[in-house]
Amino acid sequence: MELRSVEELMDLLHACRGAWDTPDRTGDPVDLHDHALQTAALLRRSRPADKELQVAGLVHDIGHLLRPGDDAGHADHAADAVRPLLGERVARLVHLHVPAKRYLAAVSPERGLSPQSALTLTRQGGTMSPAEAAAFAEDPLAEDAVTLRQADDAGKVIGLDAGVMEDWRTVLELVASRNSRLGAMD
């Protein structure tokens, strides 16, 4: 699925209410909707000028809705879906949130993971080797991907009010508009 309009994306994000990262609800303690809002809000707080990073936080897990049960591929499904609308940087950040988890497991093992993240880490390739971690660190988006991952890990608080999805419409429109102008310049 490729998203072609902010309206399509908003419909998908609203559909995340009551949808979970695992079909049997044994995963994270909040639904995909609340997790998206919390992750994006954390990124807005830590990086207020970086709208693309915030939007990546909002959409990073929609792959769980697009292909339920595909933990290993959820980031790629989400990245492929948002690329036409939100651009290459947002798509790459969404894709990199899983390698960033593997990277952090390698360089900061004391950090710990939620029980669900620890379980899915194995399905997603496990902890990076030293060579993989060094290669990841060279990626120009590595630092931003790690920031996204840290917000992803922190955005799983039951009952936390992180606003409403509609609050993000104008930010999504801004990022989509920038992307369409960039595409027109190619």
Side-chain angles (χ1 to χ4, degrees), residues 139-177:
D139 189 303
L141 291 179
E143 183 180 326
D144 292 340
V146 166
T147 299
L148 169 57
R149 181 75 228 176
Q150 290 166 330
D152 179 7
D153 291 339
K156 300 174 183 181
V157 180
I158 296 171
L160 178 70
D161 181 1
V164 296
M165 198 60 74
E166 204 56 40
D167 292 342
W168 287 94
R169 182 182 294 274
T170 55
V171 180
L172 289 168
E173 288 170 346
L174 174 73
V175 172
S177 173

Short mmCIF file of all heavy atoms in Angstrom, two decimals, residues 139-177:
data_model
loop_
_atom_site.label_atom_id
_atom_site.label_comp_id
_atom_site.label_asym_id
_atom_site.label_seq_id
_atom_site.Cartn_x
_atom_site.Cartn_y
_atom_site.Cartn_z
N ASP A 139 25.82 5.77 9.09
CA ASP A 139 24.66 6.24 8.33
C ASP A 139 24.37 7.69 8.72
O ASP A 139 24.32 8.01 9.91
CB ASP A 139 23.44 5.36 8.63
CG ASP A 139 22.27 5.66 7.71
OD1 ASP A 139 21.82 6.82 7.66
OD2 ASP A 139 21.80 4.73 7.04
N PRO A 140 24.18 8.58 7.75
CA PRO A 140 23.90 9.99 8.07
C PRO A 140 22.65 10.18 8.94
O PRO A 140 22.53 11.19 9.62
CB PRO A 140 23.72 10.65 6.71
CG PRO A 140 24.28 9.71 5.72
CD PRO A 140 24.27 8.34 6.32
N LEU A 141 21.73 9.22 8.93
CA LEU A 141 20.51 9.32 9.73
C LEU A 141 20.58 8.53 11.03
O LEU A 141 19.57 8.43 11.75
CB LEU A 141 19.30 8.87 8.91
CG LEU A 141 18.90 9.79 7.76
CD1 LEU A 141 17.70 9.22 7.00
CD2 LEU A 141 18.59 11.19 8.26
N ALA A 142 21.73 7.97 11.36
CA ALA A 142 21.85 7.11 12.55
C ALA A 142 21.43 7.84 13.82
O ALA A 142 20.66 7.31 14.62
CB ALA A 142 23.26 6.55 12.67
N GLU A 143 21.94 9.04 14.02
CA GLU A 143 21.62 9.77 15.25
C GLU A 143 20.12 10.04 15.37
O GLU A 143 19.52 9.88 16.43
CB GLU A 143 22.41 11.07 15.30
CG GLU A 143 22.20 11.85 16.59
CD GLU A 143 22.99 13.15 16.60
OE1 GLU A 143 24.11 13.21 16.05
OE2 GLU A 143 22.46 14.12 17.18
N ASP A 144 19.50 10.46 14.26
CA ASP A 144 18.06 10.72 14.27
C ASP A 144 17.28 9.42 14.48
O ASP A 144 16.26 9.41 15.18
CB ASP A 144 17.62 11.38 12.97
CG ASP A 144 18.17 12.79 12.82
OD1 ASP A 144 18.56 13.41 13.83
OD2 ASP A 144 18.22 13.28 11.67
N ALA A 145 17.75 8.33 13.89
CA ALA A 145 17.07 7.04 14.07
C ALA A 145 17.15 6.59 15.52
O ALA A 145 16.18 6.03 16.05
CB ALA A 145 17.68 5.99 13.14
N VAL A 146 18.27 6.82 16.18
CA VAL A 146 18.41 6.47 17.60
C VAL A 146 17.47 7.33 18.43
O VAL A 146 16.82 6.84 19.36
CB VAL A 146 19.88 6.58 18.05
CG1 VAL A 146 20.00 6.56 19.57
CG2 VAL A 146 20.71 5.46 17.43
N THR A 147 17.36 8.61 18.10
CA THR A 147 16.43 9.50 18.81
C THR A 147 15.00 9.00 18.65
O THR A 147 14.23 8.95 19.62
CB THR A 147 16.58 10.95 18.29
OG1 THR A 147 17.92 11.38 18.53
CG2 THR A 147 15.61 11.89 18.97
N LEU A 148 14.63 8.61 17.43
CA LEU A 148 13.31 8.03 17.18
C LEU A 148 13.13 6.77 18.01
O LEU A 148 12.09 6.58 18.65
CB LEU A 148 13.13 7.73 15.69
CG LEU A 148 11.91 6.89 15.29
CD1 LEU A 148 10.60 7.50 15.74
CD2 LEU A 148 11.90 6.68 13.78
N ARG A 149 14.13 5.91 18.02
CA ARG A 149 14.02 4.64 18.76
C ARG A 149 13.82 4.88 20.25
O ARG A 149 13.03 4.20 20.90
CB ARG A 149 15.29 3.81 18.54
CG ARG A 149 15.25 2.48 19.23
CD ARG A 149 14.33 1.56 18.48
NE ARG A 149 13.42 0.89 19.37
CZ ARG A 149 12.47 0.09 18.95
NH1 ARG A 149 12.30 -0.16 17.68
NH2 ARG A 149 11.66 -0.49 19.79
N GLN A 150 14.55 5.85 20.80
CA GLN A 150 14.41 6.14 22.22
C GLN A 150 13.01 6.65 22.54
O GLN A 150 12.43 6.27 23.56
CB GLN A 150 15.50 7.12 22.66
CG GLN A 150 16.87 6.46 22.63
CD GLN A 150 18.02 7.44 22.73
OE1 GLN A 150 17.92 8.59 22.30
NE2 GLN A 150 19.14 6.98 23.28
N ALA A 151 12.46 7.48 21.67
CA ALA A 151 11.08 7.95 21.87
C ALA A 151 10.11 6.79 21.71
O ALA A 151 9.13 6.68 22.46
CB ALA A 151 10.76 9.07 20.88
N ASP A 152 10.37 5.90 20.75
CA ASP A 152 9.57 4.71 20.53
C ASP A 152 9.52 3.88 21.81
O ASP A 152 8.45 3.46 22.26
CB ASP A 152 10.17 3.91 19.36
CG ASP A 152 9.45 2.63 19.03
OD1 ASP A 152 8.38 2.34 19.59
OD2 ASP A 152 9.97 1.88 18.19
N ASP A 153 10.67 3.67 22.42
CA ASP A 153 10.72 2.86 23.64
C ASP A 153 10.01 3.54 24.81
O ASP A 153 9.41 2.86 25.65
CB ASP A 153 12.18 2.59 24.03
CG ASP A 153 12.89 1.64 23.06
OD1 ASP A 153 12.19 0.89 22.34
OD2 ASP A 153 14.13 1.65 23.03
N ALA A 154 10.05 4.86 24.86
CA ALA A 154 9.44 5.60 25.98
C ALA A 154 7.95 5.85 25.77
O ALA A 154 7.23 6.11 26.74
CB ALA A 154 10.16 6.94 26.16
N GLY A 155 7.46 5.75 24.55
CA GLY A 155 6.08 6.08 24.24
C GLY A 155 5.12 4.93 24.41
O GLY A 155 4.34 4.63 23.49
N LYS A 156 5.14 4.31 25.57
CA LYS A 156 4.29 3.14 25.82
C LYS A 156 3.68 3.21 27.21
O LYS A 156 3.65 2.24 27.95
CB LYS A 156 5.12 1.86 25.68
CG LYS A 156 5.74 1.68 24.31
CD LYS A 156 6.67 0.49 24.21
CE LYS A 156 7.30 0.42 22.83
NZ LYS A 156 8.19 -0.72 22.66
N VAL A 157 3.17 4.40 27.57
CA VAL A 157 2.68 4.64 28.92
C VAL A 157 1.15 4.60 28.92
O VAL A 157 0.50 5.41 28.25
CB VAL A 157 3.18 6.00 29.45
CG1 VAL A 157 2.65 6.25 30.85
CG2 VAL A 157 4.70 6.06 29.41
N ILE A 158 0.59 3.68 29.67
CA ILE A 158 -0.87 3.55 29.76
C ILE A 158 -1.44 4.82 30.37
O ILE A 158 -0.97 5.30 31.41
CB ILE A 158 -1.25 2.31 30.60
CG1 ILE A 158 -0.76 1.03 29.91
CG2 ILE A 158 -2.76 2.26 30.84
CD1 ILE A 158 -0.90 -0.22 30.76
N GLY A 159 -2.46 5.37 29.71
CA GLY A 159 -3.20 6.50 30.25
C GLY A 159 -2.56 7.87 30.04
O GLY A 159 -3.14 8.88 30.45
N LEU A 160 -1.40 7.93 29.41
CA LEU A 160 -0.75 9.22 29.18
C LEU A 160 -1.50 9.99 28.10
O LEU A 160 -1.73 9.47 27.02
CB LEU A 160 0.71 9.02 28.77
CG LEU A 160 1.49 10.30 28.46
CD1 LEU A 160 1.73 11.09 29.75
CD2 LEU A 160 2.82 9.98 27.80
N ASP A 161 -1.86 11.23 28.38
CA ASP A 161 -2.55 12.06 27.39
C ASP A 161 -1.50 12.75 26.53
O ASP A 161 -0.80 13.64 26.99
CB ASP A 161 -3.43 13.09 28.10
CG ASP A 161 -4.19 13.96 27.11
OD1 ASP A 161 -4.06 13.75 25.88
OD2 ASP A 161 -4.92 14.86 27.57
N ALA A 162 -1.39 12.35 25.28
CA ALA A 162 -0.43 12.94 24.35
C ALA A 162 -1.16 13.71 23.24
O ALA A 162 -0.63 13.90 22.16
CB ALA A 162 0.46 11.85 23.76
N GLY A 163 -2.37 14.14 23.52
CA GLY A 163 -3.13 14.89 22.53
C GLY A 163 -4.00 13.99 21.67
O GLY A 163 -4.23 12.83 22.00
N VAL A 164 -4.46 14.57 20.57
CA VAL A 164 -5.34 13.83 19.66
C VAL A 164 -4.71 13.79 18.27
O VAL A 164 -3.91 14.65 17.91
CB VAL A 164 -6.75 14.46 19.60
CG1 VAL A 164 -7.45 14.37 20.95
CG2 VAL A 164 -6.70 15.89 19.11
N MET A 165 -5.07 12.81 17.52
CA MET A 165 -4.49 12.60 16.20
C MET A 165 -4.70 13.81 15.29
O MET A 165 -3.81 14.18 14.52
CB MET A 165 -5.07 11.33 15.57
CG MET A 165 -4.27 10.79 14.42
SD MET A 165 -2.56 10.35 14.85
CE MET A 165 -2.79 8.84 15.79
N GLU A 166 -5.85 14.42 15.40
CA GLU A 166 -6.17 15.56 14.53
C GLU A 166 -5.16 16.70 14.69
O GLU A 166 -4.93 17.46 13.76
CB GLU A 166 -7.60 16.04 14.80
CG GLU A 166 -8.23 16.76 13.65
CD GLU A 166 -8.26 15.99 12.34
OE1 GLU A 166 -8.52 14.77 12.32
OE2 GLU A 166 -8.02 16.63 11.30
N ASP A 167 -4.53 16.80 15.88
CA ASP A 167 -3.51 17.83 16.11
C ASP A 167 -2.34 17.71 15.13
O ASP A 167 -1.61 18.69 14.92
CB ASP A 167 -2.94 17.74 17.54
CG ASP A 167 -3.95 18.11 18.60
OD1 ASP A 167 -4.97 18.75 18.28
OD2 ASP A 167 -3.72 17.75 19.77
N TRP A 168 -2.14 16.54 14.56
CA TRP A 168 -0.99 16.29 13.69
C TRP A 168 -1.29 16.53 12.21
O TRP A 168 -0.39 16.50 11.38
CB TRP A 168 -0.47 14.86 13.91
CG TRP A 168 0.24 14.78 15.22
CD1 TRP A 168 -0.28 14.40 16.42
CD2 TRP A 168 1.59 15.15 15.47
NE1 TRP A 168 0.67 14.51 17.39
CE2 TRP A 168 1.83 14.96 16.85
CE3 TRP A 168 2.62 15.63 14.66
CZ2 TRP A 168 3.06 15.23 17.43
CZ3 TRP A 168 3.85 15.88 15.24
CH2 TRP A 168 4.06 15.69 16.60
N ARG A 169 -2.55 16.77 11.87
CA ARG A 169 -2.92 16.95 10.45
C ARG A 169 -2.09 18.05 9.79
O ARG A 169 -1.56 17.86 8.70
CB ARG A 169 -4.41 17.24 10.30
CG ARG A 169 -4.83 17.38 8.84
CD ARG A 169 -6.31 17.72 8.71
NE ARG A 169 -7.16 16.64 9.17
CZ ARG A 169 -7.56 15.61 8.42
NH1 ARG A 169 -7.16 15.52 7.15
NH2 ARG A 169 -8.35 14.68 8.91
N THR A 170 -1.96 19.21 10.42
CA THR A 170 -1.24 20.32 9.78
C THR A 170 0.24 20.01 9.62
O THR A 170 0.86 20.41 8.63
CB THR A 170 -1.43 21.65 10.55
OG1 THR A 170 -1.04 21.46 11.90
CG2 THR A 170 -2.87 22.13 10.48
N VAL A 171 0.81 19.29 10.58
CA VAL A 171 2.23 18.91 10.46
C VAL A 171 2.40 17.91 9.31
O VAL A 171 3.33 18.03 8.50
CB VAL A 171 2.77 18.32 11.79
CG1 VAL A 171 4.23 17.92 11.66
CG2 VAL A 171 2.59 19.31 12.93
N LEU A 172 1.49 16.96 9.21
CA LEU A 172 1.54 16.00 8.10
C LEU A 172 1.38 16.73 6.76
O LEU A 172 2.09 16.42 5.80
CB LEU A 172 0.45 14.94 8.25
CG LEU A 172 0.66 13.94 9.38
CD1 LEU A 172 -0.61 13.13 9.62
CD2 LEU A 172 1.83 13.02 9.07
N GLU A 173 0.46 17.70 6.70
CA GLU A 173 0.27 18.46 5.46
C GLU A 173 1.53 19.25 5.11
O GLU A 173 1.91 19.32 3.94
CB GLU A 173 -0.93 19.39 5.60
CG GLU A 173 -2.24 18.64 5.59
CD GLU A 173 -3.44 19.50 5.97
OE1 GLU A 173 -3.27 20.63 6.50
OE2 GLU A 173 -4.57 19.02 5.77
N LEU A 174 2.19 19.82 6.10
CA LEU A 174 3.43 20.57 5.87
C LEU A 174 4.52 19.66 5.30
O LEU A 174 5.14 19.99 4.28
CB LEU A 174 3.91 21.21 7.18
CG LEU A 174 5.26 21.91 7.12
CD1 LEU A 174 5.14 23.21 6.35
CD2 LEU A 174 5.78 22.16 8.53
N VAL A 175 4.73 18.50 5.92
CA VAL A 175 5.77 17.58 5.45
C VAL A 175 5.42 17.04 4.07
O VAL A 175 6.28 16.96 3.19
CB VAL A 175 6.00 16.44 6.47
CG1 VAL A 175 6.92 15.37 5.92
CG2 VAL A 175 6.57 17.02 7.79
N ALA A 176 4.15 16.70 3.85
CA ALA A 176 3.73 16.21 2.52
C ALA A 176 3.90 17.29 1.46
O ALA A 176 4.35 17.00 0.35
CB ALA A 176 2.28 15.73 2.58
N SER A 177 3.59 18.51 1.81
CA SER A 177 3.74 19.63 0.86
C SER A 177 5.21 19.84 0.51
O SER A 177 5.55 20.02 -0.67
CB SER A 177 3.14 20.89 1.48
OG SER A 177 3.42 22.00 0.68
#
